[in-house]
């Protein structure tokens, strides 16, 4: 085993990035655990069980005594079919059925509070089982201003809120540059659960999550939407171009009975990776600011 003390800062940083890309978020337990003592305790606990199993199931060629012969199962002791089914693994819900469930859950919610509770209780999406947090809309739902990101990052999942960590700090600066703050807008993400290893959501996962984000929009009724990131722009615009081809142009997206103007820009994480693109994002923010002023959603 290589000690961290033997690695240079650059090698250690590369190793940490490798673990982060693989979905590893914590390398150490919060409290020290003696694995050797734990292993010995497990072996000690198994010895009585092994001895009992040997008595009940003697080796081949040995005839068990009458008192040791295992009882033959009968109809009274045999578990019922329902009990056997409950004790075994449950079959996965087909994607089509999961989409229908998501639509029903979303449509029956009459407020953002009800929708949040319903999404937190929803368990028919695989992403829910690997994520720590359910990320839902936060901020001012009455502002008429909505910003939608892509999917939760590791920091979002850990903190339980969208745009956390360094990208969140940059995002706050971006909002402040055009006279906004996150508490004064409605901030959410397309996917409420972090995909393992920050991978892209599958087509089935997107279909399952679509009713939830569309219902958030329908209940909030924003007057203008800012989409951040390639995934978010493709999701709503229905195009396969990159964010550089989708950004900076106003388009209309239809949700329920609402048709809302939306503009796409680069995600803060993209700007941390390639700071040279900040000038492009700044132009998009100025366009978004101008639209908000024209709609009387932002003071001059």
């Amino acid at each position: 085993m290589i000690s961290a003390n033997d690695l240079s800062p650059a090698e250690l940083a590369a190793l940490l990035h490798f673990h982060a890309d693989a979905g590893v978020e914590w390398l150490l337990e919060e409290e020290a655990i003696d694995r050797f003592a734990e292993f010995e305790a497990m072996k000690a606990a198994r010895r009585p069980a092994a001895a009992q199993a040997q008595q009940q199931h003697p080796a081949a060629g040995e005839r068990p005594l009458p008192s040791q012969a295992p009882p033959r199962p009968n109809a009274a002791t045999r578990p019922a079919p329902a009990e056997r089914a409950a004790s075994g693994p449950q079959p996965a819900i087909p994607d089509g059925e999961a989409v229908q469930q998501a639509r029903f859950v979303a449509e029956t919610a009459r407020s953002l509070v009800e929708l949040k509770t319903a999404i937190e209780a929803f368990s028919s999406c695989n992403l829910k089982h690997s994520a720590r947090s359910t990320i839902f809309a936060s901020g001012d739902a009455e502002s008429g201003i909505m910003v939608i990101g892509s999917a939760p990052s590791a920091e979002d999942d850990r903190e339980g809120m969208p745009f956390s960590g360094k990208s969140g700090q940059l995002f706050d600066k971006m909002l402040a540059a055009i006279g906004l703050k996150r508490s004064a807008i409605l901030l959410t993400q397309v996917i409420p659960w972090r995909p393992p290893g920050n991978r892209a959501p599958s087509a089935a996962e997107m279909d399952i999550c679509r009713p939830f984000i569309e219902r958030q929009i329908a209940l909030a009724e924003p007057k203008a939407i800012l989409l951040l990131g390639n995934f978010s722009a493709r999701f709503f615009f229905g195009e396969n171009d990159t964010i550089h081809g989708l950004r900076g142009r106003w388009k209309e997206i239809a949700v329920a009975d609402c048709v809302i103007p939306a503009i796409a820009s680069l995600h803060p994480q993209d700007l941390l990776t390639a700071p040279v693109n900040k000038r492009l994002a700044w132009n998009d923010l100025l366009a978004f600011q101008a639209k908000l002023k024209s709609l009387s959603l932002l003071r001059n």
Side-chain angles (χ1 to χ4, degrees):
M1 180 181 296
I2 300 175
S3 172
N5 296 328
D6 299 330
L7 299 176
S8 67
E11 291 172 333
L12 184 58
L15 180 61
L16 292 175
H17 281 298
F18 171 78
H19 286 305
D21 292 340
V24 178
E25 300 174 9
W26 293 276
L27 300 180
L28 299 175
E29 299 283 353
E30 295 182 358
E31 297 181 359
I33 299 177
D34 189 343
R35 298 296 183 187
F36 295 101
E38 187 180 71
F39 179 68
E40 292 298 329
M42 290 173 60
K43 287 200 304 182
R46 287 175 181 171
R47 289 191 190 106
Q52 182 179 2
Q54 187 174 4
Q55 292 176 358
Q56 294 178 351
H57 304 283
E62 296 183 6
R63 191 179 189 86
L65 298 175
S67 60
Q68 295 176 326
R72 300 183 61 182
N74 53 49
T77 59
R78 188 180 299 118
E83 295 176 354
R84 294 198 299 270
S87 61
Q90 298 299 310
I93 297 177
D95 294 334
E97 183 177 339
V99 172
Q100 292 298 325
Q101 289 184 9
R103 288 175 180 168
F104 175 79
V105 166
E107 291 172 359
T108 53
R110 297 305 173 195
S111 67
L112 288 173
V113 174
E114 289 184 9
L115 182 60
K116 181 178 186 293
T117 301
I119 295 176
E120 289 175 340
F122 187 80
S123 60
S124 297
C125 182
N126 290 332
L127 296 177
K128 171 72 176 294
H129 306 302
S130 60
R132 167 179 294 212
S133 304
T134 297
I135 308 300
F136 190 75
S138 62
D140 185 2
E142 304 295 330
S143 65
I145 306 171
M146 196 168 191
V147 178
I148 304 177
S150 300
S153 65
E155 291 81 4
D156 299 342
D157 190 42
R158 189 158 48 244
E159 298 296 331
M161 60 181 293
F163 293 93
S164 300
K166 290 184 178 180
S167 64
Q169 295 173 9
L170 178 57
F171 174 69
D172 290 338
K173 293 179 181 178
M174 293 166 62
L175 290 178
I178 58 173
L180 293 173
K181 53 184 178 180
R182 68 167 66 202
S183 61
I185 64 173
L186 188 63
L187 178 62
T188 189
Q189 292 176 324
V190 175
I191 305 296
W193 303 289
R194 180 204 175 202
N198 291 337
R199 65 165 173 80
S202 67
E205 291 164 349
M206 288 189 288
D207 291 339
I208 295 172
C209 295
R210 181 177 289 275
F212 298 142
I213 183 60
E214 290 186 344
R215 188 58 176 164
Q216 290 181 61
I217 297 173
L219 291 171
E221 298 182 340
K223 301 298 187 296
I225 295 177
L226 174 63
L227 304 173
L228 294 178
N230 191 65
F231 176 81
S232 180
R234 287 181 175 181
F235 185 89
F236 284 103
F237 292 162
E239 302 179 27
N240 292 324
D241 204 350
T242 66
I243 188 61
H244 291 278
L246 298 173
R247 55 153 292 273
R249 292 180 288 123
W250 284 98
K251 299 184 179 183
E252 291 184 339
I253 58 176
V255 176
D257 297 329
C258 304
V259 178
I260 308 162
I263 189 172
S265 186
L266 290 96
H267 194 281
Q269 186 59 48
D270 299 332
L271 303 179
L272 291 175
T273 305
V276 68
N277 291 324
K278 287 184 178 181
R279 59 182 181 84
L280 301 177
W282 175 239
N283 290 334
D284 300 336
L285 289 174
L286 291 178
F288 188 61
Q289 181 188 49
K291 173 66 76 172
L292 297 182
K293 288 181 178 179
S294 68
L295 296 172
S296 300
L297 297 175
L298 188 64
R299 296 178 181 177
N300 293 319

